[in-house]
Amino acid sequence: MELEVAASVALAVLIVAYGFIFGVLKRVNEWIYVSRLGEKRASLPPGDMGWPLVGKMWSFLRAFRSGDPDSFLSTFISRFGATGIYKTYMFGSPSIIVCKPETCRRVLTDDQNFKLGYPKAVKVLTGRRSFHSISNAEHKRLRRLTAAPITGSEALSMYVPGIEENIVASLEEWSNSDQPVEFLTGMKKVTFKIITNIFFGLDQVDFNFKTMEILYGDLARGMKSAPINFPGFTFHRGVKARRELVKILQAIVDERKALKGRNGSITRKNMLDMLMEVEDEDKRKLEEEDIIDILLMYLLAGHETSAHGTMWAALYLHEHPDILQKAKEEQEEIIRRRPATQSGLTLKEIRQSQYLTRVVDETLRRISLSFAVF
């Protein structure tokens, strides 16, 4: 009996001590980051700065990897009300979370008072010359230079046949499989193959897709982690993955430059060729470091967002069979009007797909391709 009482008392003491230490450490953490703001701290929104050094990252990652990622924000809403703006500490920095459409719109459209503020993990892993790390002026310059070869009718018309070929081959492979296909995983493989073909050409490079997929998986997870560069931590694996990816991309750039040097000019150009040739109004070309970091970023963002967007479109169409039927009928009508000699999709047919275009636009309106913008 005395042992039971002693054990109960010890447990109660431990709980109280834990609660006290937890409360003190959280108050210390908040004091460290909030007190330095002086008078400005009075205008801070409500929130929770979490533990010293890690802040609320553990809670965020636990929610992000669970079946209910919205639970992270739900805890803020239940504790502090539906204000739509909260203070916290994440990704190695004191942060303000904004999650109401009106406030987000103001932040995203006010370039004078807001600038990019990506976490250290993202800046390190995407590179010194990626869009996440450069000044606003340089960001606009690089976007202008890189958008020209990537977007527009001429660029799209070049890539339609390769995109269609990859999609058809993958759908046929899935339909002939006797095993279930995890759709998002499958689409990531498809979109990664498509975007590497667009950037490097169909036959120009011997690509180990499996290795690249693993490396990009480690890189993506590292960008959503605390920047602790020590063996065993997610960020450390991301740093190693970046190092390997840069080697692979550098070898491809060197090979392409050597090919151009031998041949003088290349008739069948891919996206890499265009990035190497594009010039700004002062006749300045992109530096090699710019090209490597841009390739790294576009290959990651391009296949991840495309796969997620396709997944959501498929889910919404499954939930709305009437809309799926209308979109299907439009495509069947377009195919019926094709000349007998035509074997594949054309840019003209894409432009004729008015209803399907609205389906895509509505999908993009409803979803978030990225979990956050900094």
Side-chain angles (χ1 to χ4, degrees):
M1 187 69 177
E2 289 180 359
L3 283 174
E4 290 179 4
V5 172
S8 299
V9 169
L11 180 62
V13 169
L14 283 172
I15 291 171
V16 171
Y18 175 81
F20 177 76
I21 293 169
F22 179 77
V24 168
L25 286 175
K26 290 189 77 172
R27 286 176 182 274
V28 167
N29 194 39
E30 180 150 348
W31 177 82
I32 289 171
Y33 292 105
V34 173
S35 62
R36 67 180 66 172
L37 295 175
E39 293 180 2
K40 288 183 180 178
R41 63 185 174 185
S43 61
L44 283 176
D48 182 356
M49 300 299 287
W51 290 86
L53 301 178
V54 295
K56 295 292 289 183
M57 276 301 292
W58 286 341
S59 302
F60 167 75
L61 292 172
R62 189 166 58 247
F64 195 83
R65 291 165 183 164
S66 75
D68 184 20
D70 288 342
S71 61
F72 178 73
L73 276 178
S74 298
T75 58
F76 282 87
I77 294 168
S78 61
R79 288 177 61 191
F80 306 111
T83 60
I85 181 167
Y86 310 97
K87 70 173 182 285
T88 190
Y89 186 97
M90 291 175 67
F91 298 100
S93 298
S95 307
I96 300 292
I97 299 175
V98 176
C99 50
K100 271 193 174 177
E102 317 81 61
T103 323
C104 287
R105 185 178 293 110
R106 180 179 173 188
V107 171
L108 292 171
T109 55
D110 187 352
D111 289 343
Q112 200 164 11
N113 292 301
F114 296 96
K115 61 181 181 178
L116 293 177
Y118 278 86
K120 181 181 177 182
V122 175
K123 290 183 176 181
V124 170
L125 296 180
T126 56
R128 194 176 66 89
R129 296 297 299 160
S130 78
F131 290 171
H132 303 90
S133 304
I134 54 182
S135 67
N136 277 3
E138 188 65 1
H139 186 180
K140 288 177 181 176
R141 173 182 170 266
L142 279 185
R143 279 189 72 88
R144 190 172 66 251
L145 283 177
T146 56
I150 292 170
T151 59
S153 301
E154 186 181 348
L156 183 58
S157 62
M158 288 170 55
Y159 309 130
V160 167
I163 292 171
E164 184 180 22
E165 184 181 327
N166 273 287
I167 293 291
V168 170
S170 299
L171 290 174
E172 287 178 348
E173 180 187 335
W174 297 346
S175 66
N176 293 328
S177 173
D178 56 358
Q179 296 296 319
V181 175
E182 189 178 69
F183 189 67
L184 180 60
T185 303
M187 279 311 306
K188 281 185 179 180
K189 292 178 185 294
V190 174
T191 54
F192 188 72
K193 189 169 284 190
I194 287 171
I195 200 163
T196 50
N197 286 344
I198 286 172
F199 271 92
F200 306 126
L202 292 167
D203 347 306
Q204 300 302 326
V205 61
D206 180 22
F207 231 66
N208 188 331
F209 284 100
K210 188 65 179 173
T211 299
M212 291 287 280
E213 284 168 12
I214 293 169
L215 291 173
Y216 265 109
D218 287 343
L219 187 77
R221 285 185 288 273
M223 289 166 64
K224 301 181 184 79
S225 68
I228 303 171
N229 194 9
F230 193 78
F233 285 87
T234 305
F235 178 73
H236 181 72
R237 287 195 294 275
V239 170
K240 288 174 68 177
R242 174 185 162 78
R243 201 177 297 133
E244 291 302 310
L245 286 166
V246 167
K247 283 182 188 176
I248 293 170
L249 295 175
Q250 183 67 63
I252 294 170
V253 170
D254 291 344
E255 183 183 329
R256 200 64 183 165
K257 287 171 81 172
L259 179 65
K260 191 176 178 182
R262 289 194 300 270
N263 299 344
S265 63
I266 300 170
T267 52
R268 190 179 175 186
K269 293 183 179 180
N270 53 48
M271 196 78 76
L272 175 57
D273 297 320
M274 296 180 189
L275 288 175
M276 291 168 68
E277 291 173 4
V278 71
E279 296 178 340
D280 65 13
E281 56 276 8
D282 297 322
K283 300 295 182 185
R284 286 185 301 166
K285 290 189 175 183
L286 292 170
E287 299 288 337
E288 205 163 274
E289 187 180 4
D290 291 327
I291 293 172
I292 297 292
D293 283 348
I294 287 167
L295 287 173
L296 190 85
M297 178 189 66
Y298 273 134
L299 290 176
L300 174 65
H303 90 275
E304 284 267 340
T305 55
S306 300
H308 278 89
T310 308
M311 177 195 71
W312 281 111
L315 283 170
Y316 287 142
L317 287 170
H318 176 71
E319 292 170 359
H320 299 85
D322 55 325
I323 293 175
L324 173 58
Q325 184 60 30
K326 287 182 183 178
K328 185 181 176 186
E329 287 171 358
E330 180 184 61
Q331 294 306 300
E332 289 171 342
E333 176 59 30
I334 288 171
I335 290 172
R336 271 196 295 272
R337 294 199 303 263
R338 268 183 186 171
T341 53
Q342 185 182 323
S343 59
L345 186 68
T346 65
L347 184 60
K348 181 182 177 182
E349 289 175 334
I350 291 175
R351 287 174 173 157
Q352 289 171 353
S353 305
Q354 295 180 5
Y355 188 80
L356 187 59
T357 298
R358 291 199 290 272
V359 170
V360 172
D361 288 344
E362 179 64 3
T363 302
L364 295 174
R365 186 188 70 82
R366 291 188 60 169
I367 68 173
S368 295
L369 287 175
S370 178
F371 78 95
V373 178
F374 297 86

